Structure formats: structure tokens, C-alpha cells
Amino acid sequence: MLRHPLLIVLIFFSQCNTPEQSVYKLHSDNGDGTYTNPVIAADYPDPDVIRVDDTYYFVSTTMFVFPGVTILKSKDLVNWEYAANAIPEFNFSECYNLDGCDRYSHGQWATTIKYHKNKFHILFITLDEGGFYLTSDHIEGPWEINQLPKGFYDPGLLFDDNGKIYITHGYNDISITEVDKNFHPLSEDVPIFSGNIRNGLEGMRMYKRNGYYYLYGTYGGLDGFQVTLRSKNIYGPYDQKIAIRDTTHGPNYGIHQGALIQTQTGEWWTMLFADNGALGRFPSLQPVIWVNDWPMVGVDGKAVLSYKKPDVGNTHPITYLPTSDSFDDSKLGMQWGWNHNPVHSKWSLTEHPGHLRLSTATVTNDFKMAQNTLTQRMFAYYSETVATVGSLKMDIENMNDGDIAGLAIFQDPYAYIGIKKSGDKNLIIMVNNGEVIDSVETTTPTIYFKANPKYGSGAAVYYGGEVVPGTRMASFFYSTDGINYTQLGNDLKMEFKLSVFTGNKFCLFNYATKELGGYVDVDWFKMEPTNIQ
């Protein structure tokens, strides 16, 4: 029976002056030498982090979104910027093109990154296509991608000091495989440990320190916890010790699955994540101390909420990951990703400068199968009463009969507000998980949409196959002047389901239900704080 029916409420610090003048806390960095978890309040799951000289690099799971394999960079482990999306698109199955099939909940995940002999190395698995190995001289790329003859589930990588290369992998039954420089197996898988605390040991990272081999992984789940396996021999036997098991209510509930990092000043830290309901899985930065050659996470067995920033030998400015976009650049910002592979001939930033042109790329009656849906992660604010609202301005004069374009919130279920061209009429429609809930006619050539997810008051997350109560709600609005907004339809019950396996995202879309040829121009997209009380 569940002991915690309401879990992972986003309980952060709010900084308020008066009801008329509120200062929203937007960032983990508190500006006084401390930080507050989550270190990034958005969906960056399965983190692996390395340091190269004085720069830290963070890679996470993007699954079916491309450009994918997002890499962030930081000077202090708290303030992050985009460095690269290592894979522009993924051409190893027609399902990544939404050509009769899809890769929701599949695709790239649990990626590991290393730096060895002046090269960056990335290794990940897809459940359907197997293992992939990427390498580059520069973090910005270009990256060379190679499909491997063998896939390694939740891989961890070690370049040993004797010149050998090892990969650890597996779910509950953990194995190690020696590979060559191209990551092709040189040996059979060698089983080295089976999870014995409960089922679900996975997500191993590999390290070597003071003559010990370390496998640093998780017993996963909403209440997941982090463990370390240790041996003097790469093939074991391995001892096991819990690094942290904290189920305190709040943003660090069940933190797990991530990386160990040593700063240039000798401090040790770990980047883990916690499930945060409908918005996905948020990174949590925790201090590490070594006790008898075991890494122990947090303070006195508890994860920290606020703590002093890592000592990296210098101070660095606060940085913000971009969200809003006026589409004035000649290329998309790295915060954007297409739902599955894009059709590049069907979108443009130059045909109408200062706008994102979305031409119809798909004829379908299923929003989930529409190509060229542009997505972006939702960001939380550090207050339980403040949420993110997404809005856009769209020119709709060049839509064809049957075209549908608008603003969506996507997971399972999804909902959107949009324009449907019906003969010579423009209908504003609100659709909730495939059902048209309401509609109203408009005659304006320009429309404004707003999606307001009220996720500060609860969470909908999976635990042992069951949905924990507390589903977050989202409302949808339209305006013809950009000032006065009218709500349309009903509320979306936002959830995080394994059928999609990423956090809810804002989506900009335009697809055809009859024939191709129409287009819309998006003038801007904004992501802003809104008070939900």
C-alpha cells in the first residue's frame, strides 16, 4: 500500500514582497553562495556529468525528440547553458519519422559520457535499434554516430588505466563486458551482481578510485535510491552499500540515478534526479563525502534542499536556460526539439523573417502522428503557487481547408487549443485527448493562444504501476488582440505516463487532415510565470 498518496509537490522557496509586487524565484542559484534544488527545474532525466579541465558537461535523455542527446555545460555545477544537441535526427527506423509507427517511450535514453584521449565519447541504447556510440573532438560537434552490434542496457563506461575499456549494463542482473576501441565486444557478458535489496537495480555508472572499481546506480522507481557497488577486481565480487535513501516529501523525494563528479578543488558531488510528476524528472545536486572509501550522499543521510555551492576555485555568473523565442535568429534555439525527426523542407525561419513558418508536413487525423510538432520542456518556478504559462502569436491567413494549428501540452493524455480551417471558416477549437470539447468561430487573421498548466498543487506520477493522486490541471485560452483572453473547453489532467516517458511539453504545431500546402507563421512564443492562487 502506498504510504505517500501525494508525492513530489514542488515545494520551493518563494520570494514575495506584496500581493501587488511579487519577485518570482527563477533559478537554483540563490546569489549568496548557496543554491536550491532542483538545480534545473525541468525534465533532464538520467543525468551523466563529467568535468574536462574547468568545465562540466551534462547529458540527459531526450528519447524521441530531435535534435536530441542534449548536452549542457557549466562552470560551477549550478549555472547551466546549452552546449549541443549531439544528434540532429535519428535515421535508423521509419518510426522516427512517424511513418506508420512511433517511438514514444522509446528512443535514446540513459546516456553515458566520458572524455578520453582528447575525445568525447557517448554511449546509449534504444530499446528497438540497440546500442549507439558517438564520438567528437569538440563538445559542440560534429558527432560521429555508429550503431553497435550489441546494445547495452543503461550503460556505464570505463576507460581503465591499463588501456582496457569496460561497459557495465543490465537491469537487476548487472554484467560487465570488455570492448574494443569501437565498443565492439571482446568478451562475453560477465554477470557480476544481482540486485538483492529489491528488484530494479539499473543505471550504473563506472569509476575507479584508490584501487577500487565502483558501479554507481539505482534501485529505480518514484522512491528510488542510490547504491554503490565496490570491488578491487573489475569482475568482482562486489560489495554493496546504500549511498542515499531519502523519501522526505519535497523536490528531493527518492533522488537517484546519476553521476559522481570531482571538482578541480577536490570536492565530490553527485548529480541525481527526482520524479516531479507531470513535468518530468528534475536534476538534484548533492554533496558527497567518502567514508572508508564509500561515497555517501547528502548530509547525515538526507538530501539537501539548499546548500553551499561547489567550490570550483572561482565564482561565476548566474545563467538562464532560454525558453521564450521571438524567432529572429536564422536557426532554432537549442531549447527546441521536434517530436520525432523533422521534415526540414516544411519549416523555415527565413521565408518570413522574424517568424517561424510551419508548413503542413503530414496528412493525418491523429495529432500524435503529426510531423514537425515543435516541443519545449516546461520549467517550474521555486514556489508552490507559481507556474509557467506558455503563449504564442500566430498568423493563420494561409491555412488550407482541414488544417489544424495551435498550441498543445503533450504527454498521455494531451490537449491543445488551435485553429481548424473548415471551408471558409476559421474555428478555434479546444481538443482534450482527441475529443473536440468546444469551438468558436473567428474572423481575425492573427490569433493568440495561451496554455496555463497549474502544476503547483499536486502531482500525477507512476508508482508501482499505479497513478498517485494529485493530478495537475491545465487550462487553455485564446485572444484576438493579445490582451483579453477567453478560456475555451475544459481542463487537461496532466499526467506522467510511461507510454510517453518524458515530462509534459509545450508544443507548436500545424498539420493537415486533407491535403498539404497550407502554412502558419508563429511570431513569438513566450514562457512566463503566472500565479495560480
Side-chain angles (χ1 to χ4, degrees):
M1 182 172 179
L2 292 177
R3 294 176 180 267
H4 306 283
L6 271 173
L7 297 177
I8 317 307
V9 179
L10 293 180
I11 305 173
F12 303 126
F13 299 133
S14 62
Q15 300 174 340
C16 297
N17 299 324
T18 67
E20 294 77 27
Q21 182 182 8
S22 296
V23 178
Y24 299 115
K25 188 179 188 311
L26 309 178
H27 200 282
S28 171
D29 194 322
N30 297 319
D32 60 0
T34 68
Y35 71 97
T36 297
N37 276 314
V39 74
I40 307 173
D43 188 37
Y44 290 88
D46 307 331
D48 197 6
V49 181
I50 60 171
R51 176 176 63 86
V52 180
D53 299 324
D54 66 348
T55 304
Y56 299 86
Y57 298 103
F58 175 126
V59 67
S60 65
T61 293
T62 50
M63 292 208 181
F64 54 86
V65 174
F66 299 98
V69 192
T70 297
I71 302 170
L72 307 177
K73 63 182 179 181
S74 173
K75 292 294 186 179
D76 60 7
L77 290 169
V78 173
N79 292 281
W80 293 92
E81 301 174 86
Y82 286 106
N85 287 303
I87 297 181
E89 54 191 78
F90 203 66
N91 298 310
F92 293 89
S93 166
E94 288 303 310
C95 294
Y96 291 96
N97 299 324
L98 293 174
D99 187 3
C101 52
D102 63 71
R103 283 293 182 258
Y104 294 120
S105 80
H106 288 207
Q108 168 265 348
W109 66 3
T111 300
T112 188
I113 184 171
K114 295 287 186 182
Y115 187 73
H116 179 69
K117 291 187 176 180
N118 299 317
K119 282 184 177 290
F120 291 94
H121 305 265
I122 282 178
L123 179 65
F124 67 83
I125 190 175
T126 71
L127 293 184
D128 301 279
E129 293 80 32
F132 291 85
Y133 165 52
L134 285 69
T135 185
S136 177
D137 294 330
H138 308 284
I139 199 71
E140 298 82 7
W143 290 82
E144 179 184 336
I145 183 169
N146 296 281
Q147 188 171 15
L148 299 177
K150 174 182 175 60
F152 302 97
Y153 182 90
D154 274 17
L157 176 62
L158 177 70
F159 292 93
D160 204 348
D161 48 25
N162 61 8
K164 294 187 176 183
I165 307 172
Y166 299 102
I167 296 173
T168 183
H169 53 99
Y171 179 80
N172 209 62
D173 295 321
I174 306 301
S175 296
I176 286 178
T177 305
E178 185 182 354
V179 297
D180 64 19
K181 64 179 182 179
N182 297 312
F183 290 11
H184 292 201
L186 290 175
S187 68
E188 297 294 322
D189 300 341
V190 179
I192 55 95
F193 195 87
S194 293
N196 55 20
I197 298 178
R198 71 181 190 195
N199 196 44
L201 183 63
E202 60 180 341
M204 292 295 182
R205 307 299 187 201
M206 295 185 74
Y207 307 94
K208 192 174 185 181
R209 177 183 181 271
N210 290 352
Y212 284 105
Y213 292 94
Y214 291 94
L215 277 63
Y216 186 67
T218 177
Y219 286 86
L222 181 61
D223 64 342
F225 56 96
Q226 194 72 6
V227 298
T228 308
L229 309 181
R230 186 184 78 175
S231 176
K232 288 283 188 178
N233 188 302
I234 186 68
Y235 295 114
Y238 279 85
D239 298 320
Q240 177 181 241
K241 191 174 185 64
I242 294 175
I244 189 168
R245 188 172 191 173
D246 187 1
T247 52
T248 303
H249 287 286
N252 286 326
Y253 184 98
I255 59 168
H256 63 117
Q257 190 164 347
L260 289 168
I261 316 110
Q262 186 179 25
T263 71
Q264 54 269 54
T265 64
E267 289 184 349
W268 283 86
W269 294 79
T270 183
M271 188 73 77
L272 305 172
F273 76 76
D275 290 88
N276 280 270
L279 271 67
R281 294 166 288 170
F282 292 4
S284 176
L285 179 65
Q286 298 291 328
V288 172
I289 61 171
W290 290 85
V291 179
N292 297 324
D293 282 324
W294 288 101
M296 306 307 295
V297 175
V299 175
D300 298 328
K302 293 291 185 180
V304 301
L305 179 60
S306 286
Y307 199 69
K308 64 180 180 181
K309 290 168 59 177
D311 181 2
V312 295
N314 206 340
T315 58
H316 297 276
I318 293 176
T319 60
Y320 293 87
L321 291 169
T323 53
S324 301
D325 201 334
S326 58
F327 303 112
D328 292 326
D329 204 344
S330 60
K331 61 181 180 180
L332 281 172
M334 281 190 281
Q335 72 267 33
W336 293 106
W338 301 97
N339 180 359
H340 292 67
N341 286 335
V343 181
H344 291 292
S345 63
K346 298 298 183 179
W347 70 273
S348 173
L349 290 168
T350 58
E351 291 179 16
H352 187 177
H355 295 72
L356 168 67
R357 176 160 293 180
L358 290 175
S359 301
T360 52
T362 304
V363 177
T364 182
N365 288 307
D366 186 354
F367 168 76
K368 295 181 294 184
M369 298 301 289
Q371 291 179 286
N372 278 18
T373 294
L374 190 61
T375 79
Q376 189 176 156
R377 302 167 183 84
M378 293 182 183
F379 278 73
Y381 295 95
Y382 291 73
S383 167
E384 60 181 347
T385 65
V386 180
T388 293
V389 59
S391 59
L392 62 76
K393 178 184 178 183
M394 179 183 288
D395 299 332
I396 58 174
E397 288 185 285
N398 295 289
M399 297 177 69
N400 283 350
D401 183 28
D403 291 359
I404 303 175
L407 175 63
I409 293 177
F410 180 73
Q411 226 276 347
D412 181 10
Y414 69 89
Y416 65 76
I417 188 165
I419 287 286
K420 180 175 182 179
K421 185 74 171 182
S422 181
D424 59 355
K425 295 181 179 180
N426 289 329
L427 299 178
I428 304 173
I429 60 173
M430 189 273 170
V431 173
N432 197 327
N433 215 33
E435 179 183 357
V436 178
I437 304 301
D438 202 355
S439 67
V440 62
E441 187 176 351
T442 183
T443 58
T444 60
T446 300
I447 196 75
Y448 301 80
F449 293 132
K450 183 181 293 185
N452 187 359
K454 299 180 283 289
Y455 50 72
S457 58
V461 289
Y462 264 77
Y463 184 86
E466 300 180 38
V467 177
V468 178
T471 304
R472 295 184 173 97
M473 312 300 288
S475 304
F476 296 82
F477 302 80
Y478 71 91
S479 172
T480 58
D481 59 12
I483 300 172
N484 302 295
Y485 281 84
T486 301
Q487 185 173 354
L488 190 68
N490 57 10
D491 284 351
L492 166 68
K493 292 184 177 180
M494 297 168 61
E495 298 183 13
F496 183 98
K497 288 186 179 177
L498 304 188
S499 54
V500 175
F501 223 146
T502 63
N504 278 261
K505 290 181 171 65
F506 289 119
C507 298
L508 285 56
F509 68 91
N510 181 30
Y511 68 95
T513 63
K514 293 184 177 180
E515 61 180 5
L516 301 181
Y519 64 86
V520 295
D521 289 325
V522 181
D523 192 352
W524 47 256
F525 170 83
K526 296 178 182 178
M527 199 184 298
E528 301 170 299
T530 182
N531 199 308
I532 62 174
Q533 290 190 346

